[in-house]
Amino acid sequence: MRERIIAGNWKMNTLPEEGAELAHEVAKAVKDIDNVKIVICPPATHLCHISNAIKGSNVGLGAQNVHWEEKGAFTGEVSTSMLKALGCQWVIIGHSERRQMFGETDEGVNKRLRHIVKSNIRPIVCIGETLEERQAGDTFKVLERQIRIGFEGVEMSGNSGVVIAYEPVWAIGTGLTATPEQAQEAHHFIRELLSEMYGSENAAATVIQYGGSMNEKNADVLMSCEDVDGGLIGGASLKPESFAAIVNASSMI
Ligand code: PGA
């Protein structure tokens, strides 16, 4: 059976002390869950604080982005070794907000991914179509491009730890959620493509999360889809009771 992974993407929210409190609340609320991996991804400024707040708990720590070089003249960037030194085991890359507002590209995702897979940190690679792309019937074409370029030259085996998050851009932060049928169709397409690229065993072992207005009300139906193995949660991850309810719902599927 595949792992199930629920990750909270806090985006640019909370101050460090508030974040530590939130992390503490989350850890308390999910302490008895042992069949779902739980991750929180606070802003980079909070990682040190939060690493302490969740020490000894079943909650993992992730960052929201990382550079593809280890050090050097890259103003404003952080490296995988910096993240690891603060206790991060996870990092989100290619989020649609980074793509849309900060000019990140499939090629940039590829550089990051190639570096991360060598660094003992688990990437959560975000892909997903915009509303215009969906309406134009281009959803699969977009997902295929994002994966083929994003994963070019990346070796993947069943235990490489790479996670993909399918996040339809039109569902992020909008309160609109993909229907279970839409989510399953996209996840199935992604798994078939991975199967073609990496073989069916590796594809079957890869965790594919859904992201886009997942909340405590829709988590169970989305998680019940055959190819949906987790969630990347934005808004609802800022409320410990909502996030814990999503984790709980996922643990019961
Ligand atoms: P949302 O964000 O849950 O607020 O839609 C998801 C994400 O951006 O990862």
Side-chain angles (χ1 to χ4, degrees):
M1 190 172 150
R2 274 190 294 275
E3 304 173 270
R4 272 167 289 179
I5 305 173
I6 299 292
N9 173 11
W10 292 8
K11 310 192 179 183
M12 197 172 75
N13 290 297
T14 75
L15 292 174
E17 290 294 340
E18 294 163 347
E21 182 57 32
L22 172 57
H24 191 70
E25 291 293 313
V26 167
K28 206 163 69 184
V30 299
K31 68 177 187 343
D32 297 324
I33 305 287
D34 58 8
N35 61 350
V36 177
K37 285 209 162 69
I38 305 152
V39 182
I40 51 177
C41 303
T45 44
H46 303 19
L47 291 170
C48 194
H49 255 76
I50 291 182
S51 183
N52 287 326
I54 59 177
K55 204 166 259 155
S57 78
N58 56 346
V59 179
L61 187 63
Q64 297 175 16
N65 201 10
V66 72
H67 197 258
W68 56 80
E69 295 286 348
E70 266 315 299
K71 60 179 178 181
F74 302 104
T75 302
E77 297 293 328
V78 298
S79 71
T80 50
S81 38
M82 294 172 191
L83 296 181
K84 280 197 291 185
L86 294 180
C88 279
Q89 309 97 345
W90 303 82
V91 63
I92 298 169
I93 58 170
H95 192 279
S96 65
E97 286 153 16
R98 301 251 16 123
R99 294 175 189 259
Q100 294 198 312
M101 291 186 261
F102 304 102
E104 290 193 11
T105 59
D106 294 328
E107 288 74 15
V109 170
N110 181 244
K111 286 187 188 172
R112 289 179 170 82
L113 187 56
R114 282 173 185 240
H115 181 68
I116 296 166
V117 290
K118 290 186 270 162
S119 69
N120 207 15
I121 209 164
R122 292 187 69 177
I124 299 176
V125 185
C126 301
I127 57 172
E129 80 289 358
T130 62
L131 185 59
E132 296 69 41
E133 289 164 340
R134 176 163 281 269
Q135 286 171 341
D138 288 339
T139 298
F140 293 162
K141 200 165 92 189
V142 170
L143 298 179
E144 178 161 2
R145 190 204 68 224
Q146 291 173 330
I147 291 181
R148 286 210 189 269
I149 301 177
F151 282 73
E152 202 185 315
V154 175
E155 295 291 325
M156 219 166 60
S157 66
N159 57 6
S160 63
V162 175
V163 173
I164 294 177
Y166 168 62
E167 300 206 298
V169 179
W170 47 272
I172 295 180
T174 56
L176 293 175
T177 318
T179 63
E181 293 74 26
Q182 288 171 323
Q184 171 56 26
E185 186 188 37
H187 283 230
H188 183 71
F189 174 81
I190 293 165
R191 206 175 301 285
E192 290 287 298
L193 181 58
L194 292 177
S195 177
E196 187 198 312
M197 292 167 69
Y198 294 107
S200 56
E201 254 180 61
N202 290 328
T206 303
V207 171
I208 308 175
Q209 297 175 312
Y210 169 81
S213 301
M214 196 191 244
N215 57 40
E216 62 272 42
K217 296 199 185 81
N218 57 31
D220 56 347
V221 277
L222 287 162
M223 286 298 294
S224 299
C225 299
E226 191 182 333
D227 287 296
V228 176
D229 313 310
L232 182 56
I233 321 295
S237 71
L238 296 169
K239 292 177 247 152
E241 59 292 346
S242 303
F243 189 65
I246 296 169
V247 172
N248 269 310
S250 307
S251 81
M252 285 187 264
I253 307 288

